[in-house]
Amino acid sequence: MIMKPLAQSFYERSALELAEALIGKLLVKETSEGRASGIIVETEAYMGAEDRAAHSYGNRRTRRTEIMFGKAGSVYTYQMHTHTLVNVVASEVDTPQAVLIRAVEPVEGLHLMEARRPGRKQVEWTNGPGKLTKALGIAMSDYGSHYTVPPLQIFEGWEDREFEVMTGPRIGIDNTGEARDYPWRFFVKGNPYISR
């Protein structure tokens, strides 16, 4: 059976709705070394102009945030310290919302992940936003591509697996006033790969 990536229309919703909808979906990255993938088990919604924790707060438009103002389903990567983080652009053009993918449960390409995260236990390969990009081979060069086409795509994942989605405050945004308390992080209850 040939898997088809999620359609464009899947992404055309608010970041809050998309962040929850992405839980249980399959994130796939093709590289010259092969294919690596994982089930998305943790996300965070960033609600754009009104959200003090969003890069696009106040409709801030920079070279980095420009893609957030673009088409839903676009890939938004950025550097934080030495890590690349990967986001899914949500909503509609000129409404700069995005969803951070915080953690995945490894599915394919385990040998690649192990080589990219040497000396780590499997549970530590992808249990954080900078770890999963390294393990899957997601890079800054993925910026501006779209999740409906290779090399970075999202597919249906756990269609027949029961799981419970929990919510809580987002992580690492302490200096954002009341925004730090919004329950805009979504994660699979009890999953060992969630970031903490």
Side-chain angles (χ1 to χ4, degrees), residues 8 12-13 16 33-34 37 45 51 59 77 80 82 91 93 106 117 125 132 150 158 162 169 174-175 178 189-190:
Q8 168 66 33
E12 293 169 353
R13 55 177 106 187
L16 260 182
E33 301 162 295
S37 70
D51 179 1
N59 275 321
T77 50
M80 190 167 178
T82 58
S91 194
V93 171
R117 303 274 299 134
W125 293 349
L132 74 91
W158 287 343
E162 290 287 311
D174 291 338
N175 58 349
E178 74 283 354
K189 182 180 183 179

Side-chain angles (χ1 to χ4, degrees), residues 1 6 9-10 14 19 39-40 46 60 65 67 70 75 77 84-85 116-117 122-123 125 159 170 172 174-175 188 193:
M1 183 180 100
L6 297 175
S9 56
F10 175 83
S14 79
I39 292 285
I40 298 169
Y46 288 88
R60 208 171 24 226
T65 64
I67 195 67
V75 179
T77 50
T84 298
L85 275 60
R116 291 166 179 161
R117 303 274 299 134
Q122 182 170 329
V123 79
W125 293 349
E159 292 177 84
R170 296 171 294 182
D174 291 338
N175 58 349
V188 176
Y193 290 92

Side-chain angles (χ1 to χ4, degrees), residues 40-164:
I40 298 169
V41 295
E42 184 180 7
T43 60
E44 286 178 349
Y46 288 88
M47 291 293 286
E50 314 299 313
D51 179 1
R52 288 182 59 171
H55 292 163
S56 55
Y57 174 61
N59 275 321
R60 208 171 24 226
R61 238 178 150 134
T62 64
R63 218 163 64 189
R64 175 170 88 161
T65 64
E66 187 59 35
I67 195 67
M68 292 179 77
F69 291 84
K71 187 177 175 185
S74 296
V75 179
Y76 172 35
T77 50
Y78 66 90
Q79 299 271 183
M80 190 167 178
H81 310 303
T82 58
H83 301 291
T84 298
L85 275 60
V86 68
N87 297 257
V88 184
V89 174
S91 194
E92 55 199 34
V93 171
D94 290 330
T95 304
Q97 299 181 4
V99 175
L100 173 67
I101 301 176
R102 278 201 66 90
V104 302
E105 181 179 305
V107 175
E108 300 166 283
L110 301 188
H111 63 293
L112 293 174
M113 296 190 205
E114 188 170 27
R116 291 166 179 161
R117 303 274 299 134
R120 307 295 205 301
K121 297 193 294 253
Q122 182 170 329
V123 79
E124 293 171 0
W125 293 349
T126 56
N127 66 337
K131 298 174 182 180
L132 74 91
T133 53
K134 199 169 186 104
L136 294 180
I138 297 169
M140 282 303 294
S141 56
D142 289 305
Y143 179 99
S145 60
H146 200 277
Y147 286 101
T148 57
V149 293
L152 183 58
Q153 295 177 282
I154 300 175
F155 297 85
E156 286 295 352
W158 287 343
E159 292 177 84
D160 48 9
R161 178 160 155 187
E162 290 287 311
F163 59 93
E164 188 178 345

